[in-house]
Amino acid sequence: METQRSSLLSRDLETQKKDLQLRVTPSEVKFLDALAGRVYRLPITIHNVGRNSQKIRLQEPVKPQFRLLLTNPDKALASGLQVTAVVEYHPDKDEDTFDQLLVSVGNKTIQIPLIGLIPSCQLEIDSEVNFGTLVADSKVYCKEINIRNRGSLPGMFKIEYHGQLPIIIFPANGIVQPKSSMVIKVDFCADHALNANEVAKVSLQDRPEIFLTIKARVVEQIIELLDVNDNKKLKCIRFGSVFFGASKVEDAFLYNNSPEPINWVAIMQDDCVGEEVGTNIRQRTDIALNNLTYLRKIKNVDITSIISCVPNEGRLLPYQRVLIAFCFSPKLIVDGQKNDPSHRQDYAFFLRFESVGSKDGFLRDDNSKTVKSDQLQKVELALTGSGIPILLHFDPGRVFNFAPCFMGGHSEIQCVIQNRSKLLPVMYNFKKTAHFKIDPQRGKIDEGCMQNVTCSFIPHQVGVFKVKQFIEIIGSVADENLQSSSLKPFHQICLYFNSVCRASTRKVVMKINPGISPLVSNPTGQFVVKDLAKYKDHAPVAMLQSTMAEVHNHIKSKELLKGALIAFPNDRAASIRPGDEHEHFRTIFTKIPRYNYLDPDFAYTELEKIEKKAHENYYARYIKYLRNVRLQKQAQRKCIYSFDDTDIGLQPASGLKSPVLSEAEIEEELHGRIKRNQLLSTRNISYKETKAVRRKVLRGIKSDPSTVHEKHDCSLTLTPKQIHQVIVGPSILNFGDVCVNSTNTRLLHVVNMLPMHILIHLDVNLVELQKTSQFSYVIPPTASTYISVVFESPTIGKFWKSFTFTVNGIPGGHILVMAVVLPVKLELSSNELVLRPQGFSVTSCFRGTVRLYNHQNYFVKFEWQPINTKGMAFSIRPAKGIVEPYYSLECEVTWQPGFDSPERGEFILHVKEGSMLRLKCVAHVMISLEYDFYFEGYKLVKYTHVYIVGYI
């Protein structure tokens, strides 16, 4: 039934009730799920909402199935009063009935619909599915809608989508039970940018066809580099000319122009076309090519030490931007022409920013296999710059021979410093050196200009001076974080200063030394006793002749001499200072004990002495312990290398040399760990990937870490730079056309370039992939393996689903699974088989063959069934069997000739879980009769020969 089961009340009826100032409740009387032979009743209330009394009249319905139960149909309603009537419905047939109840007020009438509905389904569905704004990353997004059945009977539905977009609706048909709902999943694969506005035809039982609108706005996940000044797209950064050893920092914004967050990493492309490393582009080509030694040095240069990018990894939220600092630090590659003013080293690099996720590997050809969405998920930046040497010329040279002078005098040399560089100015600073002075000590010399400098030798002591004078070249040097720069010395130039300071001659009259050391003595004879009168401010020192003093004539104590220190006469003035009570002094001549003053206010107490001694003992023991440990290690090393058990016949210094390690091997020796601010490079990644691919691990892969080392590695939180060195691909697993319920396998390649164990976990919640053996894998360091993904689907139709994977618990990307699930089927070589004679035997001459083809990947069971078994002269064998995948089977059809044998027959080929096929068989025959007769005596003898001739 196509009748629309909805309300018949219109806006005009509502307007009429407002004009009559009546309120009718309900506005329509609807009897739901009414069965024939039963009686149903519903009340109806009429309320006077006007200010005046009104006289109303209720008229009986026209159809006999409806009856109004009211004693007096004429009622006078005062203002605010109401009257209630009962409508009775007794259907006599199982069909929908429609009538109306008339309410008259004066000369105006209100129509109240009366509806009687039989039990049926009432299906409802949402009219729109809006995915919103998505990113074109080949990920499958799912939305759910509900089909609700508000009726009392089950209802059937069918949804058909015939568009060209990757939209899958499941289930596409089914039955919704009464008073329940069914979830419909709409899958949409965002594989490229578009504005989708598709429609799917929905057929609901007992309702006209409606359309389901599917909307989505798919945008590209675009990474952009913007200029910090005008926010325009940035394609190249030109650093210009920079001195070797100095640095220059430029900034840019990295912008995520998409509605999804993204993990990104910066990669230096050190193997691309157009790269220049240390090449003088102003030099002639033939000259540059002839310098093979220099070309080999250029080839081995680590570009990541010249260009840095900070930060070079991270996560960007939707429409977020981050400031990126690019630092250019050229390094001088030694060449024979490095002092040439025209010598320069030009650089051109290409830096790529790309998202972190599933990929097919770095060894593939990006130009031939990259789709447009992949190209937009990366951005390339060109970096150019030139490194130039510092060219300072000193006149009269770098060796300065100053004229000798006396102490207190000085000598000068005028020096001219010339900046021969025509591109950059030079800032210099002379470091302070004893006995020498430079004026001006620091300054700036513009391009091609000169600076006059006065170098002075001002000695402060006598002697020969050979001094290295260092000149610091000041420029912009990158800070430790590589995000900013400051003025620092980055280069030194050495000058050699030579001179002599001579002593001044003075005639000194020597006097007799009385025997006691004077206040000051000098080997040159200066400051002897006669000069003592100049120093009146010093403490007087006793001076006496020991031969005339009786103080020396006393008995010397041997005990006093033991362990005593000698006190000179000239320290008597300072002998009142506190001393150690355990130290004893005696005079130099008389050997008597000297008075030693001890101040009790400043002397150590007994407790302080004990603590001081304990501290000394503690550190003494600690130093002794360290010494013992050091000696033990030395003894162990001597024990290990003292002898060699294996003699391989090598003689010392026989010419055997150690192999030279490449930069990649040196990197691996350093545990392969990328420094925090060091860039990834394509050459290094390709080398690591090649090495990891060669080391295949195909057996014994664990699903969970078991050893302590594995548990430690798998518990580490990886950065985007590290996750980028883990390849899980291909990003699309396309199983192609597969048969329903067939088992299909595709290999997922996993490459671990990190020097540590990682835990790969596939977050698969798809029923079709549950036959995969395991979903977690512990990948060894620098190794690769294959994961067998098994697909089996019981549902016919297109399959587009995606699942994510994690690396050590960190999201690493997603894998798209595609398949077209087809029903099992067989193909006949011919739908009609004509049997012709193949020999002269009547019983075996009519034979023919038909071939069954199975072009799918699943075995097919079949059975032949003749349509008319009675009087059937055709037979086929084998009558049933199995056709293996991608094979064919030949069946033989035989016709048994006879006078009542039909010349036509038909077989039905039954395919299990598939469709049926028909085979028509025709046998073309011709019967020829020949008569021969002769006489035997008087009797006529006749023979009849029957020939069966087939048409050729």
Side-chain angles (χ1 to χ4, degrees):
M1 182 179 294
E2 296 292 336
T3 306
Q4 187 171 356
R5 306 167 64 88
S6 59
S7 174
L8 300 178
L9 192 61
S10 62
R11 294 183 180 180
D12 295 339
L13 182 59
E14 292 289 341
T15 305
Q16 292 177 7
K17 291 194 295 181
K18 290 181 180 180
D19 295 341
L20 296 177
Q21 296 182 348
L22 291 178
R23 180 188 299 158
V24 180
T25 306
S27 58
E28 63 180 7
V29 180
K30 183 182 293 186
F31 297 91
L32 301 176
D33 303 330
L35 299 176
R38 296 187 179 183
V39 178
Y40 304 91
R41 294 177 180 178
L42 288 177
I44 182 172
T45 303
I46 302 172
H47 187 196
N48 182 10
V49 295
R51 296 182 179 181
N52 301 322
S53 297
Q54 298 189 53
K55 186 176 182 181
I56 63 173
R57 179 179 178 82
L58 301 177
Q59 299 181 10
E60 286 281 345
V62 177
K63 293 186 178 181
Q65 290 87 350
F66 295 99
R67 191 157 63 97
L68 181 64
L69 301 180
L70 188 64
T71 56
N72 186 9
D74 296 330
K75 292 288 184 179
L77 287 180
S79 176
L81 296 183
Q82 63 183 19
V83 61
T84 300
V86 176
V87 179
E88 184 180 88
Y89 175 58
H90 46 89
D92 52 359
K93 297 180 180 180
D94 288 335
E95 63 180 9
D96 296 337
T97 307
F98 302 92
D99 202 346
Q100 58 185 2
L101 178 66
L102 301 179
V103 180
S104 301
V105 180
N107 56 355
K108 296 183 179 180
T109 304
I110 299 176
Q111 298 177 357
I112 302 174
L114 304 178
I115 304 172
L117 301 177
I118 62 174
S120 63
C121 61
Q122 295 183 19
L123 298 180
E124 298 177 356
I125 188 174
D126 300 333
S127 61
E128 181 179 295
V129 177
N130 195 342
F131 286 89
T133 303
L134 306 177
V135 172
D137 55 357
S138 297
K139 188 176 181 179
V140 177
Y141 298 87
C142 181
K143 287 284 186 180
E144 295 182 354
I145 59 175
N146 292 320
I147 295 182
R148 294 169 292 275
N149 185 2
R150 303 185 185 278
S152 57
L153 294 180
M156 299 177 59
F157 71 92
K158 184 178 182 181
I159 305 176
E160 296 177 340
Y161 173 71
H162 302 289
Q164 302 298 323
L165 298 183
I167 298 176
I168 298 177
I169 302 175
F170 179 82
N173 52 62
I175 298 176
V176 184
Q177 298 300 322
K179 307 299 181 183
S180 64
S181 63
M182 180 178 291
V183 176
I184 306 298
K185 295 184 177 181
V186 182
D187 294 337
F188 175 69
C189 181
D191 56 348
H192 62 279
L194 54 83
N195 287 325
N197 191 5
E198 299 291 306
V199 292
K201 185 173 68 173
V202 181
S203 300
L204 301 178
Q205 184 177 350
D206 296 339
R207 288 195 60 183
E209 291 183 350
I210 60 175
F211 292 96
L212 174 65
T213 305
I214 303 173
K215 295 182 178 181
R217 179 175 176 263
V218 184
V219 298
E220 299 288 355
Q221 191 167 33
I222 303 175
I223 304 177
E224 297 178 350
L225 278 169
L226 305 179
D227 196 320
V228 294
N229 298 322
D230 52 10
N231 288 331
K232 292 183 178 180
K233 289 186 178 181
L234 188 63
K235 295 184 179 180
C236 180
I237 292 180
R238 295 175 174 84
F239 291 98
S241 298
V242 181
F243 283 125
F244 292 114
S247 303
K248 191 173 183 179
V249 179
E250 296 287 347
D251 296 330
F253 284 120
L254 184 65
Y255 177 54
N256 177 19
N257 191 9
S258 64
E260 291 288 336
I262 182 174
N263 292 328
W264 63 273
V265 66
I267 302 175
M268 176 61 69
Q269 302 182 93
D270 54 358
D271 56 355
C272 61
V273 179
E275 178 190 42
E276 296 289 345
V277 181
T279 305
N280 189 353
I281 60 176
R282 298 183 181 180
Q283 194 177 33
R284 287 171 47 185
T285 305
D286 56 345
I287 298 176
L289 293 177
N290 288 331
N291 195 351
L292 299 179
T293 304
Y294 183 68
L295 293 178
R296 283 193 294 267
K297 290 182 179 179
I298 290 176
K299 188 176 180 180
N300 296 325
V301 171
D302 184 11
I303 301 178
T304 58
S305 63
I306 301 175
I307 286 289
S308 62
C309 170
V310 179
N312 49 43
E313 62 179 341
R315 179 178 177 85
L316 283 176
L317 299 178
Y319 304 105
Q320 183 188 12
R321 64 182 184 179
V322 64
L323 185 65
I324 306 294
F326 302 93
C327 181
F328 175 55
S329 303
K331 296 182 178 180
L332 178 63
I333 303 174
V334 178
D335 190 16
Q337 301 176 352
K338 64 178 182 178
N339 294 324
D340 186 0
S342 63
H343 177 73
R344 55 184 290 165
Q345 294 177 4
D346 298 306
Y347 300 90
F349 308 113
F350 297 93
L351 191 62
R352 186 176 69 218
F353 295 84
E354 63 180 46
S355 61
V356 177
S358 56
K359 46 192 172 293
D360 299 327
F362 298 96
L363 298 180
R364 65 182 177 88
D365 186 5
D366 291 338
N367 296 327
S368 61
K369 296 184 180 181
T370 302
V371 296
K372 182 179 179 182
S373 60
D374 294 335
Q375 294 176 350
L376 293 173
Q377 292 183 9
K378 61 182 68 173
V379 61
E380 190 177 75
L381 177 66
L383 304 168
T384 62
S386 300
I388 60 175
I390 299 171
L391 301 175
L392 290 182
H393 178 71
F394 298 88
D395 189 12
R398 296 198 177 186
V399 179
F400 292 76
N401 295 316
F402 292 87
C405 62
F406 296 100
M407 190 165 54
H410 71 280
S411 61
E412 296 180 351
I413 294 180
Q414 296 293 328
C415 176
V416 178
I417 306 176
Q418 181 183 4
N419 180 15
R420 292 187 175 183
S421 176
K422 299 180 180 180
L423 299 175
L424 293 175
V426 176
M427 296 178 61
Y428 67 90
N429 176 41
F430 284 87
K431 296 185 71 174
K432 291 184 177 181
T433 305
H435 312 290
F436 293 93
K437 182 179 181 182
I438 311 297
D439 184 32
Q441 185 178 358
R442 60 172 51 203
K444 180 178 180 182
I445 307 176
D446 294 332
E447 305 92 306
C449 297
M450 295 182 294
Q451 176 73 43
N452 294 323
V453 176
T454 302
C455 301
S456 302
F457 172 56
I458 307 175
H460 300 288
Q461 67 183 40
V462 178
V464 179
F465 298 91
K466 294 183 179 180
V467 178
K468 292 182 179 180
Q469 173 66 57
F470 290 99
I471 306 175
E472 295 178 338
I473 307 301
I474 301 175
S476 178
V477 179
D479 297 334
E480 186 177 358
N481 57 8
L482 299 178
Q483 293 180 299
S484 59
S485 61
S486 57
L487 292 177
K488 297 179 182 178
F490 66 91
H491 184 69
Q492 282 186 344
I493 298 176
C494 182
L495 301 180
Y496 299 93
F497 289 173
N498 301 324
S499 187
V500 177
C501 178
R502 298 175 179 174
S504 60
T505 60
R506 181 177 179 182
K507 186 177 181 180
V508 178
V509 180
M510 301 300 295
K511 299 294 182 181
I512 298 174
N513 195 327
I516 301 177
S517 298
L519 175 67
V520 179
S521 62
N522 194 291
T524 61
Q526 295 177 316
F527 308 113
V528 289
V529 178
K530 71 171 187 175
D531 299 324
L532 185 62
K534 301 179 183 179
Y535 304 95
K536 299 298 183 181
D537 54 341
H538 291 272
V541 178
M543 301 178 62
L544 68 155
Q545 297 178 358
S546 58
T547 58
M548 299 177 61
E550 295 181 357
V551 71
H552 302 285
N553 300 329
H554 61 85
I555 300 175
K556 299 178 181 179
S557 175
K558 295 183 179 180
E559 296 180 358
L560 185 63
L561 297 177
K562 186 178 180 180
L565 301 176
I566 297 176
F568 292 95
N570 57 353
D571 70 346
R572 178 65 64 182
S575 63
I576 62 173
R577 64 178 180 269
D580 191 354
E581 62 180 354
H582 300 291
E583 292 181 353
H584 302 281
F585 292 87
R586 62 178 177 80
T587 61
I588 189 172
F589 298 112
T590 61
K591 309 298 189 294
I592 63 175
R594 193 197 68 175
Y595 171 72
N596 189 19
Y597 171 73
L598 186 65
D599 190 352
D601 294 335
F602 298 96
Y604 285 113
T605 63
E606 293 299 328
L607 180 60
E608 290 174 343
K609 292 177 182 179
I610 295 174
E611 291 179 353
K612 183 173 180 295
K613 188 63 177 178
H615 291 168
E616 292 176 355
N617 294 337
Y618 173 81
Y619 285 105
R621 288 193 302 269
Y622 178 68
I623 295 173
K624 185 177 180 181
Y625 166 76
L626 294 180
R627 180 177 180 272
N628 292 334
V629 171
R630 184 174 67 256
L631 294 176
Q632 289 178 3
K633 290 182 179 180
Q634 292 178 357
Q636 291 176 359
R637 285 195 294 266
K638 290 180 180 179
C639 181
I640 293 175
Y641 299 108
S642 61
F643 62 92
D644 190 357
D645 296 335
T646 305
D647 185 9
I648 60 177
L650 291 179
Q651 298 295 329
S654 59
L656 184 63
K657 296 181 179 180
S658 301
V660 179
L661 297 178
S662 63
E663 290 189 2
E665 291 173 335
I666 294 175
E667 184 77 16
E668 181 185 1
E669 289 294 330
L670 296 175
H671 307 288
R673 300 186 185 273
I674 303 296
K675 297 179 182 179
R676 179 182 177 185
N677 293 328
Q678 185 178 0
L679 282 169
L680 291 175
S681 63
T682 54
R683 184 184 303 174
N684 190 17
I685 291 177
S686 298
Y687 170 79
K688 289 182 179 180
E689 182 182 4
T690 304
K691 185 175 181 180
V693 169
R694 290 176 181 173
R695 186 190 175 193
K696 296 187 183 302
V697 181
L698 303 178
R699 294 182 179 179
I701 301 180
K702 304 177 182 178
S703 60
D704 293 304
S706 57
T707 64
V708 177
H709 188 198
E710 291 175 353
K711 291 180 180 180
H712 174 266
D713 289 349
C714 296
S715 63
L716 297 177
T717 301
L718 301 182
T719 64
K721 190 188 300 183
Q722 291 174 316
I723 295 178
H724 194 73
Q725 299 179 68
V726 178
I727 300 176
V728 179
S731 56
I732 299 177
L733 285 178
N734 192 351
F735 288 86
D737 296 339
V738 299
C739 195
V740 63
N741 295 324
S742 64
T743 302
N744 308 272
T745 304
R746 290 290 184 272
L747 296 179
L748 195 64
H749 195 194
V750 180
V751 180
N752 176 22
M753 294 179 280
L754 298 175
M756 55 182 289
H757 294 82
I758 60 172
L759 177 61
I760 299 291
H761 178 70
L762 306 180
D763 297 330
V764 178
N765 55 0
L766 305 176
V767 180
E768 292 79 4
L769 302 180
Q770 291 304 314
K771 286 195 174 181
T772 304
S773 60
Q774 66 185 70
F775 297 104
S776 295
Y777 301 85
V778 178
I779 311 299
T782 319
S784 63
T785 187
Y786 290 98
I787 298 176
S788 298
V789 180
V790 181
F791 175 82
E792 181 177 339
S793 176
T795 307
I796 298 174
K798 292 184 178 180
F799 182 87
W800 292 64
K801 294 286 185 180
S802 61
F803 65 89
T804 60
F805 64 90
T806 60
V807 183
N808 283 12
I810 306 298
H814 65 274
I815 304 296
L816 176 63
V817 181
M818 299 172 54
V820 179
V821 184
L822 302 175
V824 293
K825 69 174 182 178
L826 292 175
E827 294 182 5
L828 295 174
S829 59
S830 176
N831 294 327
E832 184 174 352
L833 181 64
V834 178
L835 304 182
R836 301 181 185 277
Q838 303 294 329
F840 297 99
S841 175
V842 175
T843 59
S844 62
C845 64
F846 288 90
R847 295 178 182 272
T849 59
V850 63
R851 187 170 290 274
L852 305 180
Y853 294 96
N854 181 11
H855 297 294
Q856 295 179 342
N857 62 331
Y858 193 61
F859 66 88
V860 180
K861 294 183 179 180
F862 71 92
E863 183 177 0
W864 290 102
Q865 177 186 359
I867 292 182
N868 185 13
T869 57
K870 186 177 181 181
M872 182 70 172
F874 293 90
S875 63
I876 188 170
R877 60 187 181 191
K880 59 181 179 179
I882 297 176
V883 183
E884 296 296 330
Y886 303 109
Y887 275 87
S888 62
L889 180 65
E890 193 175 54
C891 297
E892 184 183 45
V893 181
T894 305
W895 181 67
Q896 298 293 336
F899 289 102
D900 57 348
S901 297
E903 300 176 1
R904 294 182 179 274
E906 191 172 356
F907 291 92
I908 296 179
L909 178 63
H910 293 278
V911 179
K912 186 177 181 180
E913 298 180 358
S915 58
M916 295 186 303
L917 299 176
R918 290 178 177 269
L919 175 64
K920 296 180 179 180
C921 301
V922 179
H924 285 186
V925 297
M926 179 182 67
I927 300 177
S928 175
L929 300 177
E930 295 184 4
Y931 296 91
D932 292 333
F933 60 90
Y934 61 94
F935 291 95
E936 290 183 358
Y938 298 99
K939 290 184 178 180
L940 179 64
V941 180
K942 180 175 64 174
Y943 295 94
T944 301
H945 300 276
V946 180
Y947 296 94
I948 301 176
V949 182
Y951 291 104
I952 300 176

